[in-house]
Amino acid sequence: MDNKPGAGTATPSTPADAAAVSAGRRGLMLALATLGFAVNFWAWALLSPLGPRFKDILDLTAFEQSLLVAVPVVVGSLGRIPVGALTDRYGGRVMFPVVSLVTVVPVLFIGLVGHSSLAALLIGGFFLGIGGTAFAIGVPFVNAWFPPAHRGLATGIFGVGMGGTAISALTTVNLVNDHGTATPFVLTAVVLAVYALLAALLLRDAPGRTMPSGSLGRRLATTARLPITVQASALYAVAFGGFVAFSVYLPVYLQTAYGLEPADAANRMAGFVLLAVLMRPTGGWLSDRLGPVRVLTLSLGVVSVTALMQSFTPPLAPLGTIAFLTMAAALGAGSGATFGLVALAAPADKVGSVTGIVGAAGGLGGFIPPLIMGAVYGLTDSYAIGLVLLALTAVAAAALAVTTVRQGLADRTA
């Protein structure tokens, strides 16, 4: 792979820089970035578990409840675009503490005074979305610390931080029931503040980090036109968007299609999410060894086969369970491989900007499948057509990877 300037995030540019970057230091930076990602995603996901509670207390309609949960997700997804570009300019050492501290404000607002009305919750939820932008800080930060041969694994390990949403799912409701509404918010705010202090003291940007030139708007416009931005956005919208969609919609699907109790459906959804999270670094690791195109093609092929298999609504034990868990593994590996691709193909001074746009595409991509699945079920009383459409979309994404994306990488190494 081309390691000339502009062929990826910069590696140390002098012998002194190279000597300074020990494996232990890289590991520490990766651990701190992953922790920051997890903590901010924990905060970002605080409202979702409490949606039913606020619905009952505030007498919300189903649409208002959905809006309450959706606002932080949309803001967190779109906010990655400017935050990624700012990370290119100022580095993760500045951006991780800043975003963590800014996120403390809406967390405390909601927990202490902003949970008594829908308007206050929507305002708090809007700014809570800032926590979801941490992903666009960590990818360029981690990328810069690792050589090209290890960037896929490193960004995949960083991606495990998305499990911070699981912390929220597992603790928020219990903390509210046992200790009151403010408790999970105050606890999360304290953790965010501690992390911000830790990051300010210990985080360092990689030696030789490439600094961008030009205004923020001009750099974003240039980045949006890059082939790697367009291609990776399409791939991530399918891979990570599929993960987001099923992590939200799977309980509804299981209750409707198989008649499961809500608790059973939620537990099965948790297994889906956990497996996808664990497979993300595996996808990055395989990308380092086999190349991201091969991993993406295989992953998306598996998604298409399992979606088609599930369109027949097979018995949940064992075929349905096997189909969904296999799909989860493929979506996680594909998500990791997408940023293995970004690590190789994004220009050195635009990794954050590319990450922001691609990350936004992945987050927003998760909204489309549930809408389609719900609409299809309402019209046909079956999920079959929705799952077939998912299979066809995965096939189209795999075709993109094996043709256009493969050729683009080949041209870079020619």
Side-chain angles (χ1 to χ4, degrees):
M1 185 55 58
D2 190 352
N3 293 329
K4 294 179 291 186
T9 305
T11 51
S13 56
T14 68
D17 288 339
V21 183
S22 66
R25 191 159 183 79
R26 288 192 184 107
L28 175 62
M29 295 301 109
L30 176 57
L32 287 170
T34 305
L35 177 62
F37 182 23
V39 168
N40 278 278
F41 259 42
W42 175 10
W44 187 41
L46 281 170
L47 286 181
S48 181
L50 296 176
R53 180 184 180 89
F54 288 132
K55 181 178 185 296
D56 293 339
I57 293 175
L58 301 177
D59 194 25
L60 305 181
T61 66
F63 173 77
E64 288 171 336
Q65 181 186 351
S66 299
L67 182 64
L68 175 63
V69 174
V71 164
V73 177
V74 173
V75 173
S77 297
L78 294 177
R80 293 172 191 175
I81 298 174
V83 168
L86 289 170
T87 302
D88 282 337
R89 173 61 62 86
Y90 297 107
R93 183 185 183 185
V94 171
M95 293 300 295
F96 261 125
V98 167
V99 165
S100 299
L101 283 177
V102 170
T103 304
V104 168
V105 177
V107 169
L108 286 178
F109 170 78
I110 295 171
L112 298 178
V113 298
H115 56 266
S116 58
S117 71
L118 176 61
L121 281 171
L122 290 176
I123 292 170
F126 180 90
F127 291 100
L128 191 65
I130 295 171
T133 67
F135 177 77
I137 303 172
V139 170
F141 175 82
V142 170
N143 224 36
W145 271 105
F146 285 81
H150 300 290
R151 287 176 184 159
L153 175 60
T155 54
I157 291 172
F158 168 75
V160 172
M162 68 185 186
T165 57
I167 299 174
S168 179
L170 293 172
T171 63
T172 302
V173 173
N174 289 335
L175 286 171
V176 168
N177 290 339
D178 293 341
H179 304 288
T181 302
T183 303
F185 294 92
V186 172
L187 175 61
T188 307
V190 170
V191 174
L192 282 166
V194 170
Y195 172 75
L197 176 61
L198 189 68
L201 293 174
L202 298 179
L203 276 184
R204 297 291 183 272
D205 290 310
R209 185 176 71 87
T210 301
M211 296 286 289
S213 58
S215 67
L216 177 66
R218 184 178 303 169
R219 285 189 287 118
L220 283 175
T222 302
T223 300
R225 292 193 295 267
L226 291 174
I228 180 57
T229 305
V230 177
Q231 294 161 11
S233 293
L235 294 169
Y236 203 57
V238 178
F240 187 71
F243 162 78
V244 172
F246 279 108
S247 66
V248 171
Y249 199 71
L250 190 56
V252 175
Y253 173 88
L254 292 173
Q255 291 175 59
T256 304
Y258 291 102
L260 297 187
E261 293 297 322
D264 190 10
N267 288 336
R268 290 173 187 269
M269 181 272 287
F272 181 98
V273 170
L274 178 62
L275 182 56
V277 169
L278 292 177
M279 283 299 295
R280 186 159 181 151
T282 302
W285 176 77
L286 288 172
S287 295
D288 290 336
R289 280 147 183 79
L290 304 177
V293 171
R294 290 181 181 175
V295 179
L296 279 163
T297 304
L298 178 61
S299 298
L300 292 166
V302 170
V303 171
S304 66
V305 171
T306 51
L308 188 61
M309 174 180 167
Q310 190 58 37
S311 69
F312 294 97
T313 318
L316 190 57
L319 291 181
T321 299
I322 291 172
F324 273 117
L325 290 181
T326 304
M327 187 188 299
L331 290 170
S335 297
T338 303
F339 278 95
L341 174 66
V342 169
L344 293 177
D349 61 344
K350 295 183 176 66
V351 175
S353 300
V354 172
T355 297
I357 295 173
V358 173
L364 296 176
F367 282 95
I368 298 174
L371 295 176
I372 294 175
M373 295 284 280
V376 166
Y377 187 84
L379 293 172
T380 66
D381 202 31
S382 170
Y383 290 111
I385 295 176
L387 287 161
V388 169
L389 289 174
L390 172 60
L392 293 174
T393 302
V395 168
L400 172 68
V402 80
T403 55
T404 306
V405 176
R406 183 190 295 276
Q407 185 60 49
L409 285 178
D411 290 343
R412 290 180 60 82
T413 57

